Amino acid sequence: MLAGSRPSGLSDPERSRLLARLRNLAAQEDLPVARIRKLLAARAEVRRYRVHRGLLPALLEDADVVRAGASAAPHIGADYVAPGRAEVYVHPDMVGKLEAAFGVVLDARHGNLVVRVPPASAWPFLVSAARGVKDGRDAPAPVVAADLLDAHEDRASAAAAGILESLLASHELRGADG
């Protein structure tokens, strides 16, 4: 809903409850970052890889990925950069291809590439809502905000809160009547 589309598969009562939750979040003085992080944690499997820094630009432009988190933040106007790191979403069927094409190595502790693998059923939304640019695609702003919350960094959380506050305000949820 924050990305500007009507969620498919939701009944009118479910949509109404979601809208009420969003209005509740919008009405709070400070967004409850920890609560939002917990609500969104199950959106994708997270894998961390190590990849040569020189390959990151090509990886971020690859047609099989959607830029996420720190990689998409500057493109959507968020005040957050993380040089030398990349974050992407990849369809479950394309993970093996990505691993082979870029020679990535699993490295849960020190990896510089975060790959989020959403359920295949969520991929059409992610791709259709992705903002396309000349060199790659960016995840929708609410998704980027969720990714930034996962970083567990003050700067990333502040950038995510800024994105969410802007989205909530732009959708007239702050102070809106039920």
Side-chain angles (χ1 to χ4, degrees), residues 144-171:
V144 174
D147 299 338
L148 291 173
L149 290 175
D150 285 346
H152 296 276
E153 296 176 7
D154 289 342
R155 288 183 319 110
S157 293
I163 293 167
L164 292 171
E165 288 169 355
S166 174
L167 290 168
L168 290 166
S170 70
H171 287 282

Side-chain angles (χ1 to χ4, degrees), residues 93-152:
D93 295 340
M94 302 308 287
V95 174
K97 179 181 173 190
L98 179 84
E99 291 172 340
F102 292 96
V104 299
V105 176
L106 278 171
D107 186 345
R109 296 194 60 172
H110 303 291
N112 61 342
L113 171 65
V114 174
V115 174
R116 288 185 177 82
V117 184
S121 61
W123 188 253
F125 163 76
L126 191 62
V127 172
S128 67
R131 290 185 35 222
V133 293
K134 180 181 153 207
D135 300 316
R137 296 179 287 190
D138 297 315
V143 176
V144 174
D147 299 338
L148 291 173
L149 290 175
D150 285 346
H152 296 276

Side-chain angles (χ1 to χ4, degrees), residues 8-26:
S8 62
L10 288 182
S11 67
D12 285 340
E14 290 169 325
R15 185 180 170 282
S16 180
R17 282 192 298 274
L18 179 56
L19 188 56
R21 276 186 130 170
L22 290 172
R23 283 187 177 130
N24 182 33
L25 284 174

Side-chain angles (χ1 to χ4, degrees), residues 53-77:
R53 284 181 80 161
L55 294 175
L56 290 177
L59 188 146
L60 292 171
E61 295 172 10
D62 190 272
D64 292 326
V65 305
V66 173
R67 284 187 297 241
S71 297
H75 300 277
I76 65 162

